[in-house]
Amino acid sequence: MAVCVVACAELFRGDGEILASPMGYVPALGARLARATFEPDLLLSDGEATLLTGDGVAEGWLPYRAVFDVVAHGRRHVVMGANQIDRYGNQNISCIGPHATPKRQLLGVRGAPGNTVNHRTSYWVPKHSPRVLVPAVDMVAGVGYHRGGGPFHDVYRVVTNLCVLDFGGPSHAMRLLSVHPGVTVDEIVEQTGFPLVVEDPQETRVPSDDELTLLSTLDPTGNWGA
């Protein structure tokens, strides 16, 4: 789990002073780690309206209505989940099966379209499998490449429990960027539902001793080490 947290922290490297909007436990802890180490200017939210320091102290106020201004100006990096994602970064959190008669109703598109066409978007997938990484999503919620995303479209990376992926393959096809320790390339390819671009993947870096100490401070429950 600590490797996944560090991989999520690395999503924000070089972002500078923008609003980090990580959705989920692992991305949120990664954003806090990034701010505590190499990206001290990141703005972190409690998910509602309060801006927080790295140790959770309130430092500002960002009401929901103001978030749309941040989104429209591109000063945000969101890390969303994905029930399905395809090789060109189209994401689905809306339904499984045909939209008119779905087998399962999920969240709906929510803010995914606006996020993906206005600013940098990454994804966290806690269970890498062919059911999530699919040849074609059942419905496009988050806009991927080949969908006319516009000049501010920036689908950046996908972090899973097995690896880190980007869209650096031919025509923005999904590419294996790094492999988590103890995982093989063959295992990742087998668990991906489409042909994955594999060039020269590196090994995902492990947390340093200082980062492990920080993580125990940022989340004293120790769930990150599970």
Side-chain angles (χ1 to χ4, degrees), residues 34-73:
R35 168 156 176 165
T37 52
F38 51 80
E39 285 300 333
D41 293 330
L42 278 181
L43 300 177
L44 303 178
S45 167
D46 64 351
E48 295 184 7
T50 305
L51 295 175
L52 306 173
T53 64
D55 55 4
V57 177
E59 66 171 355
W61 178 253
L62 185 69
Y64 187 66
R65 64 182 179 274
V67 172
F68 293 102
D69 292 331
V70 176
V71 170
H73 285 85

Side-chain angles (χ1 to χ4, degrees), residues 14-152:
D15 278 352
E17 190 176 3
I18 66 165
L19 178 63
S21 296
M23 301 178 186
Y25 170 78
V26 170
L29 193 53
R32 294 182 68 188
L33 181 63
R35 168 156 176 165
T37 52
F38 51 80
E39 285 300 333
D41 293 330
L42 278 181
L43 300 177
L44 303 178
S45 167
D46 64 351
E48 295 184 7
T50 305
L51 295 175
L52 306 173
T53 64
D55 55 4
V57 177
E59 66 171 355
W61 178 253
L62 185 69
Y64 187 66
R65 64 182 179 274
V67 172
F68 293 102
D69 292 331
V70 176
V71 170
H73 285 85
R75 301 298 298 162
R76 186 175 184 235
H77 185 169
V78 64
V79 183
M80 295 192 289
N83 295 95
Q84 294 177 327
I85 187 166
D86 69 21
R87 68 183 304 189
Y88 295 110
N90 297 295
Q91 169 249 32
N92 175 26
I93 51 172
S94 182
C95 64
I96 301 298
H99 184 257
T101 55
K103 296 178 182 177
R104 280 187 171 75
Q105 180 66 51
L106 305 174
L107 290 174
V109 298
R110 310 283 290 194
N115 291 341
T116 49
V117 301
N118 280 296
H119 56 67
R120 177 164 284 184
T121 301
S122 295
Y123 294 104
W124 159 240
V125 174
K127 185 171 177 56
H128 190 132
S129 78
R131 296 181 63 181
V132 180
L133 285 90
V134 295
V137 298
D138 292 338
M139 177 179 174
V140 175
V143 180
Y145 295 99
H146 296 187
R147 286 276 177 175
F152 307 111

